């Protein structure tokens, strides 16, 4: 069993900051990548930021310069520091991990339950 647990969401005024955390636990034999997606009402889920545990990073154009993704490989945890938040950042943010549960096993995608981020204007 693999579990992803997110925390850190909440309500913040425009221009403020939030820090999201996601910890992977269970049969996390080898994590290849972790990242964050978000979904606003009426919109499809979109990639916000992702980082492989080898070090490569990707950001959506809409958050470049404002959001920073970091990770703690030893704790199988990824963070999303969100600065200069805008109302359009309002969404449910979902943690994602690509990992294998055992030696030579396939890489699979796992998802957290989501955490609400609301940015008031």
């Amino acid at each position: 069993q693999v579990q992803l647990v997110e925390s850190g969401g909440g309500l913040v005024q425009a221009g403020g900051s939030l820090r999201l955390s996601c910890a992977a636990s269970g049969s996390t034999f080898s994590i290849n990548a972790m990242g964050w997606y978000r979904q606003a009402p009426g919109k499809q889920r979109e990639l916000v930021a992702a980082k492989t545990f080898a070090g490569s990073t990707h950001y959506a154009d809409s958050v470049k310069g404002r959001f920073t993704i970091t990770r703690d490989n030893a704790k199988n945890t990824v963070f999303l520091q969100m600065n200069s938040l805008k109302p359009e950042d309002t969404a449910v943010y979902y943690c994602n991990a690509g990992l294998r549960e055992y030696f030579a096993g396939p890489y699979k995608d796992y998802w957290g339950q989501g955490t609400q981020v609301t940015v008031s204007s």
Side-chain angles (χ1 to χ4, degrees):
Q1 181 182 357
V2 175
Q3 182 176 238
L4 304 181
V5 179
E6 304 111 326
S7 63
L11 174 65
V12 66
Q13 296 184 45
S17 299
L18 286 172
R19 184 173 185 254
L20 306 183
S21 300
C22 174
S25 62
S27 301
T28 55
F29 177 80
S30 180
I31 299 178
N32 182 62
M34 296 184 72
W36 293 93
Y37 290 71
R38 67 186 181 188
Q39 187 167 21
K43 296 184 178 180
Q44 296 187 86
R45 190 172 299 187
E46 64 175 350
L47 176 67
V48 177
K51 179 181 284 292
T52 72
F53 274 31
S56 63
T57 305
H58 173 79
Y59 294 97
D61 288 342
S62 60
V63 306
K64 287 181 179 178
R66 299 188 297 119
F67 291 10
T68 303
I69 185 169
T70 58
R71 87 294 191 200
D72 184 338
N73 289 1
K75 297 183 178 180
N76 294 333
T77 301
V78 67
F79 307 92
L80 185 67
Q81 179 66 46
M82 304 185 293
N83 298 326
S84 302
L85 282 162
K86 304 174 181 179
E88 51 262 45
D89 295 318
T90 296
V92 177
Y93 284 69
Y94 297 90
C95 180
N96 169 264
L99 60 86
R100 59 188 359 158
E101 298 180 46
Y102 52 90
F103 177 73
Y107 282 101
K108 297 180 179 180
D109 284 331
Y110 295 86
W111 294 88
Q113 292 300 115
T115 184
Q116 177 70 49
V117 172
T118 302
V119 184
S120 62
S121 58

